Amino acid sequence: MLHIKTLKELKESGYVSRSVKEELRENLIRELKNKNTVLEGIIGYEDTVIPDLQTAILSQHNILLLGLRGQAKTRIARLMINLLDEYVPYIEGSELFEDPLNPISWFGHHTLEIKGDNTPIAWLHRSDRYTEKLATPDVTVADLIGDVDPIKAATLKLTYSDERVIHFGLIPRAHRGIFVINELPDLQARIQVALFNILQEKDIQIRGFKLRLPLDIQFVFTANPEDYTNRGAIVTPLKDRIESQILTHYPKSIDISRKITQQEARLSASQRNTIEADGLVKDLVEQIAFEARESEYIDKKSGVSARLTISAYENLISNAERRMLLNGENNTFVRISDFLGVIPAITGKIELVYEGELEGPGKVANILLGKAIKTLMLSYFPDPEKLKKAKAANPYADIINWFAAGNTISLVDDLSLEEYIAALESVPGLKSVIKQFHKTLSRNQQILLMEFLLHGLSEFSLINKSFLDKGFSFNDMFNSLFNTEFEDDDEYNEDRDQF
């Protein structure tokens, strides 16, 4: 229908006006009947959030997406434009993109009155029917609703009683589209009050004007739970006017979380082609986030964003790439020691409680990594604690005894592949344990599991792991305790925490 250029042609085509909510509803019905994916790229909400969202759209409701940070609230809102018609007609020149069959402003009514069926028609793509505003304390009513423009009044030689002197804000300009306010509690209460009439009575009030402007808008609001901080809350009358409140959540399994990370991680083509990332290291990245959400050091009300695992995985790959470039290698695979490069991606994305602040963000990040390794250890190898009680031979005995004899190895970040393999294979019994429990693995996977097993045994306190500037050192647990030189608590060592 894009060839239609006048109101007369539009009427002859049989075009029927629909409100934006009717449009969303009818297009959703079509998609559901055709078994199409409505929100492409949203993972883990198939049985929870998406059905609630579809119900709200079918009910023609305004929507509040409520959840902690990093739960794809804004992504969901942006994807809703796919349920709009690809193009809709509007009166050419209208700043509110008015429906030619239902004008609402002075400009629309005046144009139709003067030009009638010859009123020029233009077409608006659905991508231009989405408006998003981040709620910040400096947002004003004029920003959202509009205000009197004295410059326009002077230029057009109009009195202040003339409707044409109004400069419309973001909400009127979102007419016939989707309008999103992100972080609604950050909006000052007096500004939230200004939304009451728009949501319920469909009109706006600007200065002294008695202006009836029946706006056609699908509102979507996003917010964190009200007790997230003391910054503010959604005022009760506004919340009452938002018909559907939908609760979002974090991924409920490692598998779902891993799919999200792999979908969102920004890796270059060269990184994908030259760096091998085994399923173990991918799961380990996700497990860190799961451990963080249960940690006593981290504020649960703040949440742990899915952006943590995405940034952590990007850092993990880049750390392996850096080592590969420094060693002049053409390809490599991710090692457990590469997780030192993940620490900066963790420290900036966790909000610590008092106990966590005492430990420091760097130490908390290392604690989370250790707990993640300990959890996944049980998926790959027998539980060392249960083996202590069992009468059967301990498969880890040769490894533990070798370290007990005073031996040690260091796995630093810049080891070449040959040096890395040689260090791991110098530990008696390490390779045989891998072959015993994982018989069909590639060479790289075997080497990775050898290092992983050392980290796992250290988390179960069977051997000791020390942090080096560029990696880890493994030795006997008891020798490390006896040889430790305790520092005077009154002397602060600024190098104690490298982060």
Side-chain angles (χ1 to χ4, degrees):
M1 299 178 69
L2 298 181
H3 65 280
I4 294 175
K5 299 299 181 183
T6 66
L7 178 58
K8 180 180 180 181
E9 294 174 354
L10 185 67
K11 290 178 178 177
E12 291 174 348
S13 71
Y15 174 79
V16 178
S17 294
R18 294 185 296 177
S19 71
V20 64
K21 291 180 178 177
E22 289 173 342
E23 193 178 322
L24 289 167
R25 170 185 161 80
E26 291 173 18
N27 290 339
L28 175 60
I29 290 172
R30 185 189 67 246
E31 296 298 311
L32 292 176
K33 286 181 177 179
N34 294 333
K35 308 296 183 183
N36 293 333
T37 301
V38 176
L39 298 176
E40 192 71 40
I42 299 298
I43 301 171
Y45 286 165
E46 293 83 0
D47 299 322
T48 52
V49 176
I50 292 178
D52 290 341
L53 182 68
Q54 292 170 349
T55 300
I57 292 172
L58 293 174
S59 299
Q60 302 184 52
H61 284 177
N62 294 310
I63 298 167
L64 170 62
L65 296 171
L66 187 66
L68 296 173
R69 57 184 177 179
Q71 293 184 352
K73 299 187 293 296
T74 304
R75 169 73 67 86
I76 290 171
R78 290 174 179 173
L79 287 174
M80 284 178 62
I81 66 169
N82 294 328
L83 290 174
L84 295 172
D85 291 342
E86 187 173 6
Y87 287 95
V88 291
Y90 69 96
I91 301 173
E92 189 173 28
S94 171
E95 59 182 327
L96 303 185
F97 304 107
E98 295 168 77
D99 186 341
L101 304 182
N102 290 297
I104 63 172
S105 73
W106 181 93
F107 174 86
H109 289 294
H110 181 71
T111 302
L112 286 178
E113 183 179 342
I114 299 299
K115 298 183 179 180
D117 284 348
N118 293 322
T119 300
I121 300 299
W123 293 86
L124 185 67
H125 191 261
R126 60 186 167 207
S127 60
D128 296 319
R129 299 171 64 193
Y130 178 88
T131 306
E132 184 178 305
K133 178 62 179 174
L134 176 62
T136 53
D138 62 334
V139 173
T140 65
V141 174
D143 295 332
L144 294 179
I145 310 298
D147 205 347
V148 172
D149 186 349
I151 296 176
K152 184 186 287 188
T155 303
L156 300 177
K157 297 181 180 180
L158 302 171
T159 65
Y160 284 123
S161 62
D162 195 310
E163 180 183 328
R164 287 173 289 174
V165 303
I166 294 175
H167 174 77
F168 292 111
L170 286 171
I171 293 177
R173 291 175 184 274
H175 177 55
R176 302 180 72 204
I178 299 172
F179 186 79
V180 178
I181 297 183
N182 274 324
E183 307 301 340
L184 183 59
D186 278 345
L187 206 62
Q188 295 182 53
R190 64 184 182 85
I191 310 300
Q192 293 183 37
V193 170
L195 301 176
F196 288 0
N197 273 28
I198 297 175
L199 289 173
Q200 194 68 43
E201 285 78 24
K202 309 296 183 186
D203 63 13
I204 63 173
Q205 299 175 8
I206 298 176
R207 297 293 181 175
F209 283 95
K210 290 183 178 180
L211 185 63
R212 174 70 179 173
L213 202 65
L215 295 173
D216 177 23
I217 299 174
Q218 169 68 58
F219 282 96
V220 180
F221 305 96
T222 73
N224 286 301
E226 293 182 22
D227 58 355
Y228 170 47
T229 64
N230 295 323
R231 62 189 182 171
I234 305 173
V235 296
T236 304
L238 177 60
K239 207 169 185 180
D240 182 58
R241 285 167 165 81
I242 304 172
E243 296 94 339
S244 285
Q245 175 178 290
I246 300 172
L247 302 179
T248 59
H249 57 81
Y250 287 121
K252 295 183 177 181
S253 70
I254 292 290
D255 183 55
I256 292 173
S257 184
R258 178 170 157 178
K259 287 179 181 177
I260 294 171
T261 300
Q262 296 306 308
Q263 173 182 275
E264 300 298 324
R266 294 169 295 179
L267 303 181
S268 67
S270 62
Q271 287 177 323
R272 295 183 187 277
N273 294 331
T274 59
I275 300 167
E276 176 187 334
D278 190 72
L280 167 61
V281 297
K282 291 177 180 178
D283 286 347
L284 193 53
V285 168
E286 308 306 329
Q287 190 63 43
I288 291 172
F290 276 77
E291 297 294 342
R293 289 171 189 140
E294 299 299 325
S295 174
E296 66 273 19
Y297 298 120
I298 296 174
D299 186 359
K300 291 180 175 59
K301 294 178 181 178
S302 169
V304 178
S305 169
R307 286 183 282 270
L308 183 148
T309 56
I310 297 167
S311 298
Y313 185 69
E314 291 168 348
N315 269 14
L316 184 65
I317 297 297
S318 296
N319 197 75
E321 181 183 35
R322 175 181 172 276
R323 183 188 66 251
M324 177 187 73
L325 296 172
L326 290 175
N327 290 331
E329 299 169 344
N330 295 323
N331 53 69
T332 188
F333 62 92
V334 177
R335 307 171 185 175
I336 304 300
S337 49
D338 286 321
F339 274 83
L340 280 178
V342 165
I343 303 300
I346 301 174
T347 54
K349 290 182 173 59
I350 53 177
E351 190 167 332
L352 303 178
V353 295
Y354 177 72
E355 292 80 0
E357 295 289 354
L358 292 178
E359 295 290 344
K363 187 172 181 180
V364 170
N366 281 306
I367 290 172
L368 296 176
L369 175 58
K371 287 186 174 182
I373 290 173
K374 187 174 183 179
T375 299
L376 287 187
M377 168 83 169
L378 302 180
S379 300
Y380 286 83
F381 299 101
D383 186 345
E385 294 179 348
K386 291 183 179 179
L387 289 173
K388 292 178 182 178
K389 303 175 184 178
K391 297 181 179 180
N394 189 335
Y396 310 129
D398 290 343
I399 302 171
I400 298 169
N401 292 337
W402 186 79
F403 284 110
N407 296 297
T408 182
I409 66 167
S410 297
L411 300 176
V412 294
D413 184 44
D414 53 3
L415 286 179
S416 67
L417 180 61
E418 292 76 13
E419 293 170 330
Y420 176 68
I421 293 174
L424 291 171
E425 291 186 341
S426 68
V427 182
L430 186 56
K431 192 172 184 178
S432 61
V433 173
I434 306 303
K435 289 186 175 181
Q436 179 181 351
F437 296 104
H438 301 279
K439 298 176 181 175
T440 58
L441 291 178
S442 67
R443 172 73 165 166
N444 290 348
Q445 289 174 322
Q446 289 180 5
I447 298 301
L448 174 65
L449 274 180
M450 288 168 70
E451 183 187 0
F452 176 70
L453 180 56
L454 291 180
H455 286 271
L457 292 176
S458 72
E459 294 302 324
F460 282 93
S461 301
L462 296 178
I463 61 176
N464 180 64
K465 177 171 69 175
S466 303
F467 289 89
L468 305 176
D469 287 339
K470 295 183 179 181
F472 306 94
S473 175
F474 296 92
N475 49 42
D476 179 54
M477 174 64 70
F478 296 103
N479 285 341
S480 66
L481 289 175
F482 295 143
N483 294 332
T484 299
E485 295 183 3
F486 296 98
E487 298 177 359
D488 188 343
D489 289 341
D490 295 332
E491 295 182 5
Y492 173 69
N493 182 0
E494 62 181 9
D495 296 325
R496 183 182 299 166
D497 187 349
Q498 70 182 100
F499 301 105

